[in-house]
Amino acid sequence: MKRIAPEIFLLITLILMLSCSPMVFPTPGLAECPQKEKIQQGLQRAFPKLQFELVKISPSEARDLCQVEIKTGGRHHLIYTDRRGDFVLTGNLHEVKTGKNLTQENLLSLNRLTPEDLRQLESLTAFSLGKGKKMVFLITDPQCPFCKQAETLLKKLVEKEDIQVRFILFPLESYKGSKEQCISVICDNKGIEGFDSGYRSDNQCPEGIKKIENAAAFMLKKGINSTPTLVFADGLYLSGLPSEEALRSRLGVGKGSSK
């Protein structure tokens, strides 16, 4: 029998090995995200009146979806696109297994205030409640009903926990006379008692005007446009009225704990 050349034998062996091995295909959902240019143009067509900066495109926690981070009005926002960039999706992404709102959690981190921002908030404080070590800023308006509820909740925690609340007065234009009310509380040094009682005078001192206008400028820069907003010591902030459970969790005080 004629001997097979070593080179041919090696080639036949390699062919047999490949034919017996399972075929490997690319895993669905692991393709790269679309280019920024394509998404930029697509968003401009879909939302022609929206002024935004496209910050980043990256894979999301959901298979086959990419997360698009944009910045508008001083804040970061998240939308989603498919891997080809043919569709965009707005709204919150929830994880069914855990019930987590992944969009909200990511946004909290993206919009976190810096240590310098927190120092600026300290300078904007109108008055404080409590002397605890755990600090939280309450951005509030004297005529906002949900602010009153947030304040009531915080007062309850101050009585039982090692918490200090610093009030930042941010009068909204939708409440008539709110700005003048805030200024007079500061100018006449009426503190939380005057604030809660609806105190108002004609005293619109330059110092009070400056503090209120500086607070409004800060909020505008950071994209904060509603009250109540709670800012925590780590720079994360929540807009709206939280539940007591959520507030305790963010402050790190468990239910039923005490000073």
Side-chain angles (χ1 to χ4, degrees):
M1 184 174 67
K2 192 174 182 180
R3 186 180 178 187
I4 301 176
E7 295 82 0
I8 299 177
F9 179 79
L10 182 60
L11 179 60
I12 294 173
T13 303
L14 182 59
I15 293 172
L16 289 173
M17 289 175 62
L18 290 174
S19 64
C20 295
S21 300
M23 294 295 289
V24 179
F25 295 97
T27 305
L30 298 183
E32 294 183 358
C33 291
Q35 295 295 315
K36 288 180 67 173
E37 292 76 12
K38 182 174 183 178
I39 297 301
Q40 178 86 27
Q41 294 171 5
L43 291 177
Q44 288 173 344
R45 287 192 294 268
F47 309 102
K49 296 183 179 180
L50 180 65
Q51 299 294 321
F52 67 92
E53 174 193 353
L54 202 163
V55 180
K56 184 180 179 181
I57 303 175
S58 58
S60 76
E61 296 90 342
R63 196 177 185 85
D64 294 318
L65 284 182
C66 291
Q67 179 175 281
V68 181
E69 178 187 342
I70 64 173
K71 189 174 183 180
T72 179
R75 293 193 67 182
H76 292 264
H77 301 268
L78 294 176
I79 59 177
Y80 301 92
T81 180
D82 63 293
R83 296 282 177 166
R84 296 179 60 181
D86 293 333
F87 301 91
V88 292
L89 178 68
T90 62
N92 292 323
L93 183 65
H94 293 263
E95 186 177 52
V96 175
K97 183 178 180 180
T98 62
K100 291 181 179 179
N101 185 330
L102 300 177
T103 303
Q104 185 180 67
E105 290 189 0
N106 289 333
L107 284 175
L108 285 175
S109 180
L110 289 172
N111 289 305
R112 183 193 298 264
L113 299 185
T114 66
E116 176 58 34
D117 292 331
L118 294 176
R119 285 191 289 271
Q120 190 168 350
L121 277 182
E122 289 183 17
S123 71
L124 295 172
T125 299
F127 44 82
S128 300
L129 176 67
K131 297 182 179 180
K133 295 179 181 179
K134 296 183 178 181
M135 184 175 63
V136 58
F137 294 95
L138 173 62
I139 300 171
T140 183
D141 180 296
Q143 298 183 32
C144 160
F146 292 109
C147 296
K148 296 295 184 185
Q149 296 180 49
E151 183 181 332
T152 299
L153 178 55
L154 287 167
K155 284 181 176 179
K156 175 182 176 182
L157 293 182
V158 166
E159 291 176 358
K160 300 179 180 180
E161 311 293 348
D162 189 26
I163 293 172
Q164 178 184 162
V165 184
R166 297 194 174 186
F167 286 71
I168 310 294
L169 305 189
F170 179 40
L172 303 179
E173 293 182 359
S174 55
Y175 295 118
K176 185 177 180 180
S178 182
K179 181 177 180 179
E180 292 76 14
Q181 185 176 343
C182 290
I183 293 172
S184 63
V185 167
I186 293 173
C187 293
D188 293 335
N189 196 28
K190 290 299 180 179
I192 191 170
E193 293 81 7
F195 181 78
D196 288 343
S197 66
Y199 176 84
R200 179 177 176 178
S201 73
D202 294 330
N203 188 358
Q204 302 290 290
C205 65
E207 296 80 5
I209 294 173
K210 182 178 180 181
K211 177 161 286 190
I212 294 301
E213 291 184 347
N214 285 348
F218 177 87
M219 302 310 161
L220 179 63
K221 180 180 177 182
K222 296 301 173 182
I224 299 173
N225 54 18
S226 63
T227 56
T229 292
L230 294 162
V231 182
F232 301 92
D234 59 2
L236 296 182
Y237 66 86
L238 295 171
S239 293
L241 178 64
S243 65
E244 180 176 346
E245 181 182 3
L247 187 53
R248 282 183 173 275
S249 176
R250 282 295 307 131
L251 289 169
V253 290
K255 186 176 182 181
S257 63
S258 59
K259 293 182 180 179

